[in-house]
Amino acid sequence: MVDYHAANQSYQYGPSSAGNGAGGGGSMGDYMAQEDDWDRDLLLDPAWEKQQRKTFTAWCNSHLRKAGTQIENIDEDFRDGLKLMLLLEVISGERLPKPERGKMRVHKINNVNKALDFIASKGVKLVSIGAEEIVDGNAKMTLGMIWTIILRFAIQDISVEETSAKEGLLLWCQRKTAPYKNVNVQNFHISWKDGLAFNALIHRHRPELIEYDKLRKDDPVTNLNNAFEVAEKYLDIPKMLDAEDIVGTLRPDEKAIMTYVSCFYHAFSGAQKAETAANRICKVLAVNQENEHLMEDYERLASDLLEWIRRTIPWLEDRVPQKTIQEMQQKLEDFRDYRRVHKPPKVQEKCQLEINFNTLQTKLRLSNRPAFMPSEGRMVSDINNCWQHLEQAEKGYEEWLLNEIRRLERLDHLAEKFRQKASIHEAWTDGKEAMLKHRDYETATLSDIKALIRKHEAFESDLAAHQDRVEQIAAIAQELNELDYYDSHNVNTRCQKICDQWDALGSLTHSRREALEKTEKQLETIDQLHLEYAKRAAPFNNWMESAMEDLQDMFIVHTIEEIEGLISAHDQFKSTLPDADREREAILAIHKEAQRIAESNHIKLSGSNPYTTVTPQIINSKWEKVQQLVPKRDHALLEEQSKQQSNEHLRRQFASQANIVGPWIQTKMEEIGRISIEMNGTLEDQLSHLKQYERSIVDYKPNLDLLEQQHQLIQEALIFDNKHTNYTMEHIRVGWEQLLTTIARTINEVENQILTRDAKGISQEQMQEFRASFNHFDKKQTGSMDSDDFRALLISTGYSLGDAEFNRIMSVVDPNHSGLVTFQAFIDFMSRETTDTDTADQVIASFKVLAGDKNFITAEELRRELPPDQAEYCIARMAPYQGPDAAPGALDYKSFSTALYGESDL
């Protein structure tokens, strides 16, 4: 019996070791279970002995052929020890002591002992096997000795997933044959009887040699012979078994099967090594390809976002004013559409771009790749700078729009006021030039002349009263010019015409006065009563005209206080109406008194007052007009008061909602900051909690939409200020965008920590310990710490730091020299210090296996060993090999491997 003990790395052969085999537990010695042990005290099954003789003989000859010899009879040909020693030299590659060439029994025993001593020197403890039994041709002992040699030199070093020997070989067979139907390898005896397992092993590694789909499970002899013949012909594995013996035996000999299968393992071990190397390379290349895809996505998204910003900013900086309020309001509506529809997706794209950038950098750090540097102008900081420029332009554009609408509103008001005053003035001046040019005084009587003089004096009084209106018209025209009114040309033309006409009236008035005064001495009589009437009627008539003008005057207000001021002024005007009515009655009384005197003195009047055109009918008519305009003015002021009350309601409504939403956003920002510092539980718990928190924030969006609707109503009502709140819609929007961005970044930070933990094998307890340590030294609770606090943190984790070592660590965790260390940088550093990842040297070693130990590799070799896309990926990026041993088409895999990790090829 043979047993291998993991503790002392030795073999024991003989019945005394049976207990050791059973007590090995999970050690490598378990590959020889008790029922499989060799017991020389029991009779060997004749069928098994036959299978062992054939298999062990063929196995020995497969090695002895390398020395130009072989054996025919395993019992006889090892008796002198010479071929036994030669076999051990061939399979070990070492020289044994020089054999004795004598023919005597003692010489044979000495040679066999030399062989047994060599076997013992390799850690095999042989019990009950003596040289004499081998020399005497004891079949059982000879077969036992050869099995011991096979175990030591052909099976012992087989290892798959930390199993050894028999278990390792069995696991290798199971993995290689797993995809094949009708194959289920569970042992080294009956699992191989139908021959399909042997054919599956060959087909897995050399599919061109076996047509597996044509094999039938019910034809085991054909299957076995097919496998044996192919193995011998193409794989240089001698035929060690007979198909008929295996099929005809209830349970084939396990040792014979193991010996034969071990030859397949060694025949394909080179392919296995190449497969392992190819798998490592494929894994590294897959990481690089994924990272390059993420880099390309980042570049594309960054380019699209920057292009949108570049297209949008000129539109926001276009400040060409329009001529009308309607045109400017359309611009404002376009701007609102931009705010509601076009910008929000770009805010989300910008946030997602930052998240993708952080995730990519985390993946690069986890795979020992250099940090990603976007192309010039596409850094996250560049995008943030462009975004700031966009928001500055946006703010300036909105302010300009509102100011321009205010200006145009003011212009429309002034223009309408100009037209109204100009029309009133032109109506008054109509016919005045003809009147002043009339030479009626040349044929008038003295009394008529005196009347004309009085009439002219009244006209001059009326003319002086209209001077203010002309000055107002000129002032309004000047203001329209200064405010760049689009129809200033027509306004100026009309104003100039009025001024020229006014100057002409002044000149004509002066000329007529001179003419009347010249003839005044010839005229005598005048009715003083009529004169008094005229003098009092003219200013009263002018007052009524001014009152009518004021009552019809347009007004524009923006606040309750302004409209209440106008109402107060109107009420004050109405309070003067009783005095005015008394004045009207007094003036009419003068007219009546003149008529009474004329009648009482039998004076015949011409029917009209010679001193004025303001008749009692005109006074009464205008007084009635004033009476009609007063309630209309009342109605207009009350309507405006209602409008301003509605505006005040909109202000209070917006303020009420804004004063809730604004503090809510600020509170959530503070809570997120606190959550990111005080994270408890597993990272998955934290991530779930943060995502629930994010959903609660998103669910709050209808409150913001309501505020947007209220804000739109305010803008449509042209309300420009709100004393009831300090929050503007712009502040709310910026706060909301910052809130969404902050929660998304916090979630991304936890996701990156999970990536780091899983990739680096950090346990949840370690991650919590790292977080607790970091929070303890994060004095300001900002999520980052300065170098002094970080030094204290490292010391608390067991680091003994000198200045040089601390500076080295700071260069790793703070490559930008900002003076601050984030939690993510701390985690990356700790994971690099405590875990292992693929390195450039490991990738170089894998390529060297595929290249057959050459310092270069060819395109054909890459296409043969790697999947097509990864093979072409390498070929496109590998530089030609320039070494002295270069061959045509040689590619430099060393510089390519170091470039994958951002290292220079030293």
Side-chain angles (χ1 to χ4, degrees), residues 784-846:
S784 60
M785 62 180 65
D786 58 27
S787 58
D788 290 339
D789 289 339
F790 184 60
R791 180 191 288 270
L793 171 59
L794 290 178
I795 291 172
S796 74
T797 60
Y799 278 85
S800 178
L801 297 173
D803 288 341
E805 174 65 8
F806 181 68
N807 291 335
R808 179 193 72 80
I809 295 174
M810 283 300 294
S811 68
V812 172
V813 299
D814 183 22
N816 296 324
H817 305 293
S818 64
L820 296 175
V821 180
T822 64
F823 178 67
Q824 184 62 46
F826 171 61
I827 289 295
D828 289 342
F829 168 73
M830 294 302 293
S831 63
R832 280 196 296 272
E833 294 292 306
T834 58
T835 59
D836 181 33
T837 58
D838 288 329
T839 65
D841 289 341
Q842 290 173 327
V843 177
I844 290 172
S846 297

Side-chain angles (χ1 to χ4, degrees), residues 583-630:
E583 176 66 10
R584 180 183 68 84
E585 294 291 345
I587 293 171
L588 294 178
I590 291 173
H591 177 73
K592 290 178 180 179
E593 180 65 16
Q595 288 183 325
R596 187 189 66 77
I597 293 173
E599 290 175 357
S600 62
N601 291 284
H602 306 286
I603 299 173
K604 187 177 180 179
L605 299 176
S606 61
S608 62
N609 192 322
Y611 303 115
T612 181
T613 60
V614 181
T615 66
Q617 292 77 15
I618 291 175
I619 290 175
N620 286 331
S621 175
K622 290 185 177 180
W623 178 254
E624 185 179 351
K625 181 68 173 176
V626 170
Q627 294 294 98
Q628 292 172 351
L629 289 175
V630 167

Side-chain angles (χ1 to χ4, degrees), residues 693-797:
Y693 203 82
E694 183 183 38
R695 284 193 292 273
S696 72
I697 291 174
V698 172
D699 291 342
Y700 196 75
K701 181 66 163 52
N703 295 285
L704 202 74
D705 295 338
L706 175 61
L707 198 62
E708 285 282 8
Q709 294 170 5
Q710 295 170 350
H711 178 66
Q712 182 168 347
L713 292 176
I714 280 180
Q715 286 198 326
E716 289 172 354
L718 297 178
I719 300 171
F720 302 110
D721 54 7
N722 194 340
K723 65 182 180 180
H724 304 297
T725 181
N726 292 325
Y727 293 100
T728 66
M729 197 62 230
E730 180 63 25
H731 292 153
I732 299 292
R733 289 192 197 105
V734 171
W736 178 257
E737 291 169 3
Q738 288 177 346
L739 180 61
L740 292 179
T741 300
T742 301
I743 187 64
R745 285 175 178 162
T746 305
I747 289 173
N748 180 243
E749 178 185 348
V750 176
E751 290 174 336
N752 286 341
Q753 289 177 23
I754 292 174
L755 277 176
T756 302
R757 181 198 68 192
D758 294 344
K760 299 299 185 178
I762 301 174
S763 68
Q764 183 62 39
E765 292 73 16
Q766 286 177 305
M767 185 64 76
Q768 290 176 341
E769 182 180 346
F770 291 156
R771 168 58 77 180
S773 299
F774 188 90
N775 287 346
H776 177 75
F777 289 96
D778 181 9
K779 306 297 186 184
K780 299 177 182 177
Q781 299 295 296
T782 60
S784 60
M785 62 180 65
D786 58 27
S787 58
D788 290 339
D789 289 339
F790 184 60
R791 180 191 288 270
L793 171 59
L794 290 178
I795 291 172
S796 74
T797 60

Side-chain angles (χ1 to χ4, degrees), residues 15 83 152 273 284 287 345 437 441 537 540 553 602 668 674 764 787 794 808 860:
K83 288 188 177 180
R152 173 60 182 85
K273 187 176 181 182
V284 171
V287 170
K437 291 177 180 178
Y441 55 85
F540 183 72
D553 191 18
H602 306 286
K668 294 301 175 185
R674 186 166 61 254
Q764 183 62 39
S787 58
L794 290 178
R808 179 193 72 80
E860 290 72 18

Side-chain angles (χ1 to χ4, degrees), residues 233-294:
K233 182 176 180 180
Y234 296 103
L235 304 178
D236 198 25
I237 298 175
K239 186 176 181 182
M240 301 182 181
L241 301 167
D242 283 324
E244 291 75 7
D245 292 342
I246 294 177
V247 173
T249 304
L250 183 62
R251 172 172 162 165
D253 180 61
E254 186 175 52
K255 298 176 181 61
I257 299 292
M258 281 182 65
T259 301
Y260 188 46
V261 172
S262 71
C263 293
F264 283 91
Y265 175 86
H266 291 294
F268 295 134
S269 63
Q272 179 74 18
K273 187 176 181 182
E275 182 181 346
T276 301
N279 287 339
R280 178 183 290 277
I281 291 171
C282 288
K283 175 185 173 184
V284 171
L285 294 179
V287 170
N288 251 57
Q289 287 172 311
E290 180 186 1
N291 290 341
E292 286 185 4
H293 178 68
L294 291 174

